[in-house]
Amino acid sequence: MEPKKLRWPAVVAAAAAAMLFTAPASASPASPGSATLAEAAECASGTTVSTDKGVVCGTETDGVKSWLGIRYAAPPVGELRWAPPEPAHAWTSTFPATERGNNCPQADGLGSGSTNEDCLNLNVRAPANAGSKRLPVMVQIHGGGFRFGTPADGSHLVRSGNVISVEVHYRLGIFGFMSHKDLGRNSGNYAFQDQQAALRWVQKNISQFGGDPRNVTIFGASAGGSSVCANAVSPTARGLFQKGIAQSGEYNSLLGTNTSWQPQDCKSELPSADEAHRINERFAAAVGCGDAADTAACLRQVPVKTLLDKSGNGMGPDQGTIAPVVDGKTLTMSMAKAFATGRVNDVTLMHGVDRDETQLASANTPADYERMVRQQYGRYAPQVFARYPLDRFPDPSAFIAYRTLVADSNSVCPSLLNHKRMSRSIKVYAYQSDNSDAPPASFLDQTKPNGAFHVLLNQFLSPRPGAQLTPNQKAFGAQITAQWTGFAHTGSPTVKGTPLWPRFTRHNPDVMALAPAGDSELTREIARQHHCDFWDRLTPYNH
C-alpha cells in the first residue's frame, strides 16, 4: 500500500501498533491442565507461583522473571462471544507459563494476525531479585486503533525501574465493540470489560508475584492511551487502579473527514447505544443474520474470518462498530464529555501527545496542500490557510505545513484542552514530546521530515534488542524511563535524574516539553504556538 494514498492512515496507525509488537504471533497456548503441557518450555527454578485458579511457573532471563499467556478470563467463544468476560476455569496441574498466548482476532499485516478467540491472557514480569518489598505494578494496554496489536515485552521497565509489568491481550474490532439490541441494551465495549477483568485479576493475584495491588498504574499509547482515558471515566473501573499514563490518546481526525478510524480517542464524540444498535443491525444483515429468528445466536455462529472481513476498517455503512460506544454501563458518556463535566474516577494521570503526530495522508505539493485542507476542514479552510500559509514553512513546505496543522487540530490542541478539563477534577501531569530526531519508525516515509511522530515514546519504553541510539537519544530514553516508572512508584514524575515536573493546574498550566539530551523544559506557550484558540472552537464538548 503506497503511503500517498488516502488509505494510508490505517497503515500508519496499524504500524504504530507494531511498535508495541516484539514477538511473532504464537501458536495456541497450552490450556492449563491439558495434555499439551508437556510440550511447553521448561520452567526456571524459583518461578512457581500460586494464583487464584492454579499454580504457574515461568522463565528467567537477564534478571527478569516472566510468566506468559496466563488466562485471566474464560475464552470468549460460543455463548461468551459478545458477552462480559467470565472467570477463567481453574486448573490442577502446574501451568508452564513459558510461551506467549494467542493474539486476539485481527487482520494480518503486522505479524500479529489471528483468528483464535481464545485470547484473554496476560503476561507478568518481575525483577529476579525483587526481595520482599511489594513493587508498583505497571499494566500495559497495547495500541493499534482497537483493530490490531499485541502487548510489548515490558522487561526494560522491570529491569530499569524496579516495577512489575503486566501486559494484556483484549478483544479487538468487531469482537471488542459489537453493540446490538439482541445482545443486550448495554452491549459493546467488551474490550474495556476485558481490560477491567485483567485489572481484577491483578487485584487478586499480583501480590503473589511481588506486586502491590494498591499501587497499580495503567499505561498505553494510541488506542492504549484512549483506553486509559476510558478506564479513567468508566464507573465499572472505579478502584481498580490508582494512576494512568495516556500517551498519544488524541488522534482521530477532528472533523471526521478522510480517516480510516471510527471515532474512538480521548476527544471524540462517541456513538450512543441507539446509534450503535442501528449500525449493527446493518452489519448483522451483511453477515446473513438480518432475518434470523435469534439474531444473537446467528451472529455467534458466524466464522471469525467472515466477521473480520465484513467489518473491515469500520468505515462502510454496514461494517459495524469496531471502536468504543456509549453503552450506558461501561461508558456512560464520551471520555471528553466526562472530563469536561468532572465525571472522573479518583486517579492521577500523566497525559500528552507527540508534537507532530498525524494519522492522515501527506501533502507533497502545494496543490495537494490546498486540496487536502479543503477536504479535511471544509468551510473552515480559509481560516486554516490564513493561520498556516505555505510561505512560512521550509521546504518541503507542503509536507511540513500539512503535518503541522493536522497535528495541531487532531492531537496537540485537543490534548491541551483535555489537560485543562482533567485538572479540574484530578491530578494531571501534562507533557508534549518534542523529540523530532528520534530513531525513524518503519511505518514512516524516512525521506521526509516527520518530526515528533505518533507513539515515538514506545521505542524508548520497550526498546527493541540491539537498537542503536545516539548519546542524545540515550539520555532521552533514560529520562522518560525514569519518569514513567517513577510515576508508578510515587505518583509524581519528578524523580532522580529528571527535571522538576509540577502538576498541571488552572493557575500553573505547565506542560513538560520532552526533548533529548537532557533539554526537557516546562512551557506554557503551546496554545499560542499551535493556534489552539482556533482549534478549540471546533473540538467536541468545548462549549
Side-chain angles (χ1 to χ4, degrees):
M1 189 177 294
E2 294 296 324
K4 295 182 181 179
K5 295 181 180 179
L6 289 179
R7 289 189 296 170
W8 188 48
V11 178
V12 171
M19 297 178 67
L20 288 171
F21 178 70
T22 56
S26 66
S28 298
S31 299
S34 73
T36 59
L37 289 179
E39 301 172 7
E42 284 190 19
C43 291
S45 62
T47 63
T48 301
V49 176
S50 295
T51 75
D52 65 329
K53 298 300 180 183
V55 178
V56 299
C57 59
T59 60
E60 182 178 335
T61 304
D62 296 331
V64 176
K65 293 181 179 180
S66 299
W67 298 264
L68 310 179
I70 303 173
R71 280 189 176 148
Y72 65 85
V77 299
E79 291 296 312
L80 295 184
R81 178 191 278 181
W82 299 311
E86 291 286 332
H89 300 296
W91 58 91
T92 54
S93 301
T94 298
F95 173 53
T98 58
E99 304 289 340
R100 291 176 64 92
N102 290 321
N103 297 322
C104 285
Q106 57 189 283
D108 208 351
L110 300 177
S112 52
S114 172
T115 57
N116 195 328
E117 293 178 88
D118 182 1
C119 64
L120 299 187
N121 63 85
L122 54 75
N123 308 323
V124 180
R125 303 181 201 270
N129 58 350
S132 59
K133 182 179 178 181
R134 297 288 178 220
L135 298 179
V137 183
M138 297 188 73
V139 179
Q140 178 198 139
I141 304 175
H142 71 77
F146 293 111
R147 289 174 52 204
F148 305 101
T150 190
D153 184 333
S155 295
H156 170 71
L157 297 178
V158 171
R159 193 177 295 114
S160 301
N162 201 34
V163 298
I164 305 294
S165 174
V166 178
E167 306 139 16
V168 180
H169 290 86
Y170 59 94
R171 282 175 280 184
L172 301 168
I174 198 68
F175 298 90
F177 296 100
M178 176 73 168
S179 178
H180 191 283
K181 59 181 175 58
D182 288 359
L183 295 172
R185 172 63 190 166
N186 304 119
S187 57
N189 291 335
Y190 303 109
F192 298 143
Q193 294 174 33
D194 293 345
Q195 294 167 13
Q196 292 169 18
L199 290 171
R200 292 186 182 93
W201 184 95
V202 167
Q203 290 298 309
K204 292 179 180 177
N205 295 287
I206 205 64
S207 61
Q208 299 297 108
F209 295 85
D212 184 352
R214 298 169 299 178
N215 190 5
V216 176
T217 300
I218 64 173
F219 73 106
S222 196
S226 179
S227 295
V228 172
C229 288
N231 284 297
V233 305
S234 171
T236 52
R238 188 173 294 120
L240 294 179
F241 64 100
Q242 290 71 45
K243 300 181 290 293
I245 309 175
Q247 304 164 216
S248 296
E250 287 85 4
Y251 52 89
N252 270 129
S253 173
L254 181 64
L255 301 182
T257 307
N258 290 347
T259 180
S260 288
W261 299 117
Q262 290 183 354
Q264 60 181 250
D265 71 352
C266 299
K267 72 170 181 296
S268 292
E269 184 172 3
L270 304 178
S272 68
D274 289 339
E275 290 170 333
H277 293 168
R278 289 193 293 271
I279 292 169
N280 287 299
E281 285 177 3
R282 296 193 294 271
F283 179 77
V287 296
C289 295
D291 297 323
D294 186 336
T295 304
C298 179
L299 286 168
R300 288 178 170 128
Q301 294 174 1
V302 178
V304 170
K305 183 67 163 55
T306 301
L307 294 170
L308 289 173
D309 291 344
K310 290 292 187 180
S311 59
N313 68 1
M315 300 309 294
D318 60 355
Q319 291 188 302
T321 51
I322 61 172
V325 303
V326 179
D327 66 283
K329 184 176 181 181
T330 304
L331 283 182
T332 58
M333 61 186 71
S334 298
M335 289 87 85
K337 184 177 181 180
F339 292 135
T341 57
R343 311 286 181 85
V344 188
N345 295 330
D346 183 17
V347 295
T348 301
L349 296 181
M350 286 172 59
H351 172 258
V353 296
D354 304 298
R355 187 189 61 212
D356 302 305
E357 58 178 81
T358 69
Q359 297 273 320
L360 299 176
S362 301
N364 295 301
T365 67
D368 284 347
Y369 179 70
E370 179 159 347
R371 172 179 53 82
M372 295 167 75
V373 168
R374 293 190 185 280
Q375 287 177 343
Q376 187 67 213
Y377 301 101
R379 63 191 177 95
Y380 302 106
Q383 299 177 67
V384 175
F385 290 131
R387 288 167 172 82
Y388 300 85
L390 279 181
D391 61 8
R392 296 299 303 275
F393 295 88
D395 287 333
S397 59
F399 179 92
I400 294 176
Y402 194 65
R403 180 206 74 191
T404 300
L405 71 90
V406 167
D408 288 356
S409 70
N410 296 357
S411 298
V412 173
C413 293
S415 176
L416 183 61
L417 182 59
N418 270 341
H419 298 332
K420 296 174 183 177
R421 292 165 168 168
M422 294 171 179
S423 68
R424 298 172 195 155
S425 304
I426 59 175
K427 292 181 181 178
V428 177
Y429 294 90
Y431 78 86
Q432 177 176 284
S433 171
D434 289 350
N435 187 353
S436 58
D437 199 33
S442 61
F443 59 85
L444 296 171
D445 182 347
Q446 298 179 21
T447 67
K448 298 295 178 64
N450 295 297
F453 54 83
H454 185 59
V455 302
L456 73 83
L457 299 181
N458 288 345
Q459 61 189 316
F460 297 96
L461 298 172
S462 299
R464 292 181 179 276
Q468 299 297 312
L469 298 177
T470 66
N472 287 349
Q473 298 299 334
K474 286 181 181 178
F476 182 81
Q479 177 187 317
I480 67 163
T481 297
Q483 288 167 323
W484 263 237
T485 57
F487 177 75
H489 276 273
T490 68
S492 169
T494 300
V495 294
K496 184 178 179 180
T498 72
L500 176 67
W501 186 346
R503 57 184 286 200
F504 183 103
T505 67
R506 177 183 177 184
H507 298 294
N508 294 290
D510 294 310
V511 177
M512 178 59 71
L514 297 170
D519 288 337
S520 299
E521 60 185 3
L522 297 173
T523 181
R524 299 183 183 182
E525 293 296 311
I526 291 173
R528 187 162 65 95
Q529 293 172 343
H530 297 266
H531 305 289
C532 292
D533 58 337
F534 171 66
W535 295 118
D536 286 353
R537 294 197 296 269
L538 309 184
T539 305
Y541 308 113
N542 191 37
H543 51 74

Coordinates of all heavy atoms in Angstrom, one line a residue, residues 436-492:
S436 N 12.1 15.5 17.9 CA 11.9 15.5 16.5 C 13.1 14.7 15.8 O 13.1 14.7 14.5 CB 11.9 16.9 15.9 OG 13.0 17.6 16.2
D437 N 14.0 14.1 16.5 CA 15.1 13.4 15.9 C 15.2 12.0 16.5 O 16.3 11.4 16.5 CB 16.4 14.2 16.1 CG 17.5 13.7 15.1 OD1 17.1 13.4 14.0 OD2 18.7 13.7 15.5
A438 N 14.1 11.5 16.9 CA 14.0 10.1 17.4 C 14.4 9.1 16.2 O 14.2 9.4 15.1 CB 12.7 9.8 18.0
P439 N 14.9 7.9 16.6 CA 15.1 6.9 15.5 C 13.8 6.7 14.7 O 12.7 6.6 15.2 CB 15.5 5.7 16.3 CG 16.0 6.2 17.6 CD 15.2 7.4 17.9
P440 N 14.0 6.7 13.4 CA 12.8 6.6 12.5 C 12.0 5.3 12.7 O 12.6 4.3 12.9 CB 13.4 6.7 11.1 CG 14.8 6.3 11.2 CD 15.2 6.7 12.6
A441 N 10.7 5.4 12.5 CA 9.8 4.3 12.6 C 9.6 3.7 11.2 O 9.6 4.4 10.2 CB 8.5 4.7 13.2
S442 N 9.4 2.4 11.2 CA 9.3 1.7 9.9 C 8.0 2.1 9.1 O 8.0 2.0 7.9 CB 9.2 0.2 10.1 OG 8.1 -0.2 11.0
F443 N 7.0 2.6 9.8 CA 5.8 3.0 9.1 C 5.8 4.4 8.5 O 4.9 4.8 7.9 CB 4.6 2.9 10.0 CG 4.6 3.7 11.3 CD1 4.2 5.0 11.2 CD2 5.1 3.2 12.5 CE1 4.2 5.9 12.3 CE2 5.1 4.0 13.6 CZ 4.7 5.3 13.5
L444 N 6.9 5.1 8.6 CA 7.1 6.4 8.1 C 7.9 6.4 6.8 O 8.8 5.6 6.6 CB 7.7 7.3 9.1 CG 6.9 7.6 10.4 CD1 7.8 8.3 11.4 CD2 5.7 8.3 10.2
D445 N 7.6 7.4 6.0 CA 8.5 7.7 4.8 C 9.7 8.4 5.4 O 9.7 9.6 5.8 CB 7.8 8.6 3.8 CG 8.6 8.9 2.6 OD1 9.8 8.7 2.6 OD2 8.1 9.5 1.6
Q446 N 10.8 7.7 5.4 CA 12.0 8.1 6.1 C 12.8 9.2 5.3 O 13.8 9.7 5.8 CB 12.9 7.0 6.5 CG 12.2 6.0 7.5 CD 13.0 4.8 7.9 OE1 14.2 4.8 7.8 NE2 12.3 3.8 8.4
T447 N 12.3 9.5 4.1 CA 12.9 10.6 3.3 C 12.3 11.9 3.7 O 12.7 13.0 3.2 CB 12.8 10.3 1.8 OG1 11.4 10.4 1.5 CG2 13.3 9.0 1.5
K448 N 11.3 12.0 4.6 CA 10.6 13.2 4.9 C 10.9 13.6 6.3 O 11.2 12.8 7.2 CB 9.1 13.0 4.7 CG 8.6 12.6 3.3 CD 8.9 13.8 2.4 CE 8.5 13.4 0.9 NZ 7.1 13.2 0.8
P449 N 10.7 14.9 6.6 CA 10.9 15.4 8.0 C 9.7 15.2 8.8 O 8.8 16.0 8.9 CB 11.2 16.9 7.7 CG 10.4 17.3 6.5 CD 10.5 16.0 5.6
N450 N 9.6 14.0 9.4 CA 8.4 13.6 10.1 C 8.2 14.2 11.5 O 7.2 14.2 12.1 CB 8.4 12.1 10.3 CG 8.3 11.4 8.9 OD1 7.3 11.5 8.2 ND2 9.4 10.6 8.6
G451 N 9.3 14.8 12.0 CA 9.2 15.5 13.3 C 9.0 14.5 14.5 O 9.4 13.3 14.4
A452 N 8.3 15.0 15.5 CA 8.0 14.1 16.7 C 6.7 13.3 16.3 O 5.6 13.8 16.6 CB 7.8 15.0 17.9
F453 N 6.9 12.1 15.9 CA 5.8 11.4 15.3 C 5.0 10.6 16.3 O 5.4 10.4 17.5 CB 6.3 10.4 14.2 CG 7.4 9.5 14.6 CD1 7.2 8.3 15.3 CD2 8.8 9.9 14.4 CE1 8.2 7.5 15.7 CE2 9.8 9.0 14.8 CZ 9.5 7.8 15.5
H454 N 3.9 10.0 15.8 CA 2.9 9.3 16.6 C 3.6 8.1 17.4 O 4.3 7.4 16.8 CB 1.8 8.8 15.7 CG 0.7 8.1 16.4 ND1 -0.1 8.7 17.4 CD2 0.1 6.8 16.3 CE1 -1.0 7.9 17.8 NE2 -0.9 6.7 17.2
V455 N 3.3 8.0 18.6 CA 3.8 6.9 19.5 C 5.3 6.7 19.5 O 5.8 5.6 19.8 CB 3.0 5.6 19.3 CG1 1.6 5.7 19.5 CG2 3.3 5.0 17.9
L456 N 6.1 7.8 19.3 CA 7.5 7.6 19.3 C 8.1 7.2 20.6 O 9.2 6.6 20.7 CB 8.2 8.9 18.8 CG 8.3 10.1 19.7 CD1 9.5 10.1 20.7 CD2 8.4 11.4 18.9
L457 N 7.4 7.4 21.7 CA 7.9 7.1 23.0 C 8.0 5.6 23.2 O 8.8 5.1 24.0 CB 7.1 7.7 24.2 CG 7.0 9.2 24.2 CD1 6.1 9.6 25.4 CD2 8.4 9.8 24.3
N458 N 7.2 4.8 22.4 CA 7.2 3.3 22.6 C 8.6 2.7 22.5 O 9.0 1.8 23.1 CB 6.3 2.7 21.6 CG 4.8 2.9 22.0 OD1 4.5 3.4 23.1 ND2 3.9 2.7 21.0
Q459 N 9.4 3.2 21.5 CA 10.7 2.6 21.2 C 11.7 2.9 22.3 O 12.7 2.3 22.3 CB 11.2 3.1 19.9 CG 11.4 4.6 19.7 CD 11.7 5.0 18.3 OE1 12.5 4.3 17.6 NE2 11.1 6.0 17.8
F460 N 11.4 3.8 23.2 CA 12.2 4.0 24.4 C 11.8 3.3 25.6 O 12.6 2.9 26.4 CB 12.3 5.5 24.7 CG 12.9 6.3 23.6 CD1 12.1 7.0 22.6 CD2 14.3 6.4 23.4 CE1 12.6 7.7 21.6 CE2 14.8 7.2 22.4 CZ 14.0 7.8 21.5
L461 N 10.4 3.1 25.7 CA 9.9 2.4 26.9 C 10.0 0.9 26.7 O 10.0 0.1 27.7 CB 8.4 2.8 27.1 CG 8.2 4.3 27.4 CD1 6.7 4.6 27.4 CD2 8.9 4.6 28.8
S462 N 9.9 0.4 25.4 CA 10.1 -1.0 25.1 C 11.1 -1.2 24.0 O 10.7 -1.5 22.8 CB 8.7 -1.6 24.7 OG 7.8 -1.6 25.8
P463 N 12.3 -0.8 24.2 CA 13.3 -0.8 23.1 C 13.5 -2.2 22.5 O 13.5 -3.2 23.2 CB 14.6 -0.3 23.8 CG 14.4 -0.6 25.2 CD 12.9 -0.5 25.5
R464 N 13.7 -2.2 21.2 CA 14.0 -3.5 20.5 C 15.4 -3.9 20.8 O 16.3 -3.1 20.9 CB 13.7 -3.3 19.0 CG 12.3 -3.1 18.7 CD 12.1 -3.0 17.2 NE 10.7 -2.8 16.8 CZ 9.8 -3.8 16.7 NH1 10.2 -5.1 16.9 NH2 8.5 -3.6 16.4
P465 N 15.6 -5.2 20.9 CA 17.0 -5.7 21.2 C 18.0 -5.2 20.1 O 17.7 -5.2 18.9 CB 16.8 -7.2 21.1 CG 15.4 -7.5 21.4 CD 14.7 -6.3 20.9
G466 N 19.1 -4.7 20.5 CA 20.1 -4.2 19.6 C 19.9 -2.9 19.0 O 20.6 -2.4 18.1
A467 N 18.8 -2.1 19.5 CA 18.6 -0.8 19.0 C 19.7 0.1 19.3 O 20.3 0.1 20.4 CB 17.3 -0.3 19.6
Q468 N 20.1 0.9 18.2 CA 21.3 1.8 18.4 C 20.8 3.2 18.6 O 20.0 3.7 17.7 CB 22.1 1.7 17.1 CG 22.7 0.4 16.8 CD 23.7 -0.1 17.9 OE1 24.6 0.7 18.4 NE2 23.5 -1.3 18.4
L469 N 21.2 3.9 19.6 CA 20.8 5.2 19.9 C 22.0 6.1 20.0 O 23.0 5.7 20.5 CB 20.0 5.3 21.3 CG 18.7 4.5 21.4 CD1 18.1 4.6 22.8 CD2 17.7 5.0 20.4
T470 N 21.8 7.4 19.6 CA 22.8 8.4 19.7 C 22.9 8.8 21.2 O 22.0 8.5 22.0 CB 22.5 9.7 18.9 OG1 21.3 10.3 19.5 CG2 22.3 9.3 17.5
P471 N 24.0 9.4 21.7 CA 24.1 9.8 23.1 C 22.9 10.7 23.5 O 22.4 10.6 24.6 CB 25.4 10.6 23.1 CG 26.2 9.9 22.1 CD 25.3 9.6 21.0
N472 N 22.4 11.6 22.6 CA 21.3 12.4 22.9 C 20.0 11.6 23.2 O 19.3 11.9 24.1 CB 21.0 13.4 21.8 CG 22.0 14.5 21.7 OD1 22.8 14.7 22.6 ND2 22.0 15.3 20.6
Q473 N 19.8 10.6 22.3 CA 18.6 9.8 22.5 C 18.7 8.8 23.6 O 17.7 8.4 24.2 CB 18.4 9.0 21.2 CG 18.1 9.9 20.0 CD 16.8 10.8 20.2 OE1 15.9 10.4 20.9 NE2 16.8 11.9 19.5
K474 N 19.9 8.4 24.0 CA 20.1 7.5 25.1 C 19.7 8.3 26.4 O 19.1 7.8 27.3 CB 21.6 7.1 25.3 CG 22.0 6.0 24.3 CD 23.4 5.6 24.5 CE 23.8 4.5 23.5 NZ 25.3 4.1 23.7
A475 N 20.1 9.6 26.4 CA 19.7 10.4 27.6 C 18.2 10.6 27.6 O 17.6 10.5 28.7 CB 20.4 11.8 27.5
F476 N 17.6 10.7 26.5 CA 16.1 10.8 26.4 C 15.5 9.6 26.9 O 14.5 9.6 27.8 CB 15.7 11.1 25.0 CG 14.2 11.3 24.8 CD1 13.6 12.5 25.1 CD2 13.4 10.3 24.3 CE1 12.2 12.7 24.9 CE2 12.0 10.5 24.2 CZ 11.5 11.7 24.5
G477 N 15.9 8.4 26.5 CA 15.3 7.2 26.9 C 15.5 6.9 28.4 O 14.6 6.5 29.1
A478 N 16.7 7.3 28.9 CA 16.9 7.1 30.4 C 15.9 8.0 31.1 O 15.4 7.6 32.2 CB 18.3 7.4 30.7
Q479 N 15.7 9.2 30.6 CA 14.9 10.2 31.3 C 13.4 9.7 31.4 O 12.8 9.7 32.4 CB 14.9 11.6 30.6 CG 14.0 12.6 31.3 CD 13.9 13.9 30.5 OE1 15.0 14.4 30.1 NE2 12.7 14.4 30.3
I480 N 12.9 9.4 30.2 CA 11.4 9.0 30.2 C 11.2 7.7 30.9 O 10.2 7.5 31.6 CB 10.8 9.0 28.8 CG1 11.3 7.9 27.9 CG2 10.9 10.4 28.2 CD1 10.4 7.7 26.7
T481 N 12.2 6.8 30.9 CA 12.0 5.5 31.6 C 12.0 5.8 33.1 O 11.1 5.3 33.8 CB 13.2 4.6 31.3 OG1 13.2 4.2 29.9 CG2 13.1 3.3 32.2
A482 N 12.8 6.7 33.6 CA 12.8 7.1 35.0 C 11.5 7.8 35.3 O 10.9 7.6 36.4 CB 14.0 8.0 35.3
Q483 N 11.0 8.7 34.5 CA 9.8 9.4 34.7 C 8.6 8.5 34.8 O 7.7 8.6 35.7 CB 9.6 10.6 33.7 CG 10.6 11.7 33.9 CD 10.6 12.6 32.7 OE1 10.5 12.2 31.6 NE2 10.8 13.9 33.0
W484 N 8.5 7.6 33.8 CA 7.3 6.7 33.7 C 7.3 5.8 34.9 O 6.3 5.6 35.6 CB 7.4 5.9 32.4 CG 6.5 6.5 31.3 CD1 5.5 5.8 30.6 CD2 6.6 7.8 30.7 NE1 5.0 6.6 29.7 CE2 5.6 7.8 29.7 CE3 7.3 8.9 31.0 CZ2 5.3 9.0 28.9 CZ3 7.1 10.1 30.2 CH2 6.1 10.1 29.2
T485 N 8.4 5.1 35.2 CA 8.5 4.2 36.3 C 8.5 4.9 37.7 O 7.9 4.4 38.7 CB 9.7 3.3 36.3 OG1 10.9 4.1 36.2 CG2 9.6 2.4 35.0
G486 N 9.1 6.1 37.7 CA 9.0 6.9 39.0 C 7.6 7.3 39.3 O 7.2 7.3 40.5
F487 N 6.8 7.7 38.3 CA 5.4 8.0 38.5 C 4.7 6.8 39.0 O 3.8 6.9 39.9 CB 4.8 8.4 37.1 CG 3.3 8.7 37.2 CD1 2.8 9.9 37.8 CD2 2.4 7.8 36.6 CE1 1.4 10.1 37.8 CE2 1.0 8.1 36.6 CZ 0.6 9.2 37.2
A488 N 5.0 5.6 38.5 CA 4.4 4.4 39.0 C 4.7 4.2 40.5 O 3.9 3.7 41.3 CB 4.8 3.1 38.2
H489 N 5.9 4.5 40.9 CA 6.3 4.3 42.3 C 5.7 5.3 43.2 O 5.1 5.0 44.3 CB 7.9 4.5 42.4 CG 8.6 3.3 42.1 ND1 8.9 2.3 43.1 CD2 9.2 2.8 41.0 CE1 9.6 1.3 42.5 NE2 9.8 1.6 41.2
T490 N 5.7 6.6 42.8 CA 5.3 7.7 43.8 C 4.1 8.5 43.4 O 3.6 9.3 44.3 CB 6.5 8.6 44.0 OG1 6.7 9.4 42.7 CG2 7.8 7.9 44.3
G491 N 3.6 8.4 42.2 CA 2.5 9.3 41.7 C 3.0 10.6 41.2 O 2.2 11.5 40.9
S492 N 4.3 10.8 41.1 CA 4.9 12.0 40.6 C 6.0 11.7 39.6 O 6.9 10.8 39.9 CB 5.5 12.9 41.7 OG 6.3 14.0 41.1

